[in-house]
């Protein structure tokens, strides 16, 4: 639809003892101005691979995975966080992105 979007690429290692996917193991979220962003649909396969997060990965394997979000502002910081899906832990990994510097 032509809305501004951000694609975040990161490495993920399956540290479990079972074959699993990023989608089944991790919860990814992005926020701008304190509000959760919607997932973006990007059809350009040369820029974005939406399927990699659904592929099963054997224990000990590392892959590059991506997620994409529709931004609500082209100037506000994007706060990205990843946590373990279905976990009782409050641990998460986060990183902030400045769209004006991208």
């Amino acid at each position: 639809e032509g809305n501004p979007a951000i694609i975040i690429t990161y490495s993920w290692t399956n540290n479990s003892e079972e074959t699993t996917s990023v989608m089944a193991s991790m919860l990814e979220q992005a926020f701008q101005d304190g509000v959760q962003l919607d997932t973006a649909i990007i059809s350009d396969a040369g820029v974005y691979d939406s399927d990699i997060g659904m592929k099963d990965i054997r224990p000990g394997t590392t892959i590059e995975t991506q997620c994409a979000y529709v931004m609500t502002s082209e100037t506000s910081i994007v706060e990205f966080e990843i946590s373990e899906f279905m976990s009782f832990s409050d641990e998460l990994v986060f990183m902030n992105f400045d769209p004006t510097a991208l």
Side-chain angles (χ1 to χ4, degrees):
E1 296 178 354
N3 296 320
I6 185 170
I7 298 170
I8 300 170
T9 303
Y10 64 94
S11 294
W12 179 75
T13 301
N14 179 359
N15 290 323
S16 74
E17 295 180 9
E18 299 190 18
T19 299
T20 189
S21 67
V22 174
M23 181 179 276
S25 302
M26 307 304 295
L27 176 61
E28 305 162 333
Q29 293 182 296
F31 299 85
Q32 268 188 313
D33 299 316
V35 178
Q36 184 178 1
L37 298 179
D38 292 331
T39 300
I41 297 171
I42 299 174
S43 58
D44 185 347
V47 175
Y48 179 65
D49 183 356
S50 62
D51 293 333
I52 192 71
M54 293 182 277
K55 291 183 179 179
D56 282 338
I57 307 301
R58 296 274 190 214
T61 303
T62 300
I63 60 165
E64 292 279 315
T65 188
Q66 295 181 309
C67 50
Y69 300 95
V70 178
M71 297 190 317
T72 55
S73 165
E74 294 187 47
T75 58
S76 295
I77 298 294
V78 175
E79 302 169 52
F80 177 67
E81 61 184 47
I82 305 169
S83 58
E84 189 175 354
F85 188 68
M86 302 295 286
S87 172
F88 296 109
S89 171
D90 291 336
E91 292 183 37
L92 58 91
V93 175
F94 67 93
M95 185 166 191
N96 293 337
F97 297 93
D98 181 352
T100 63
L102 299 175

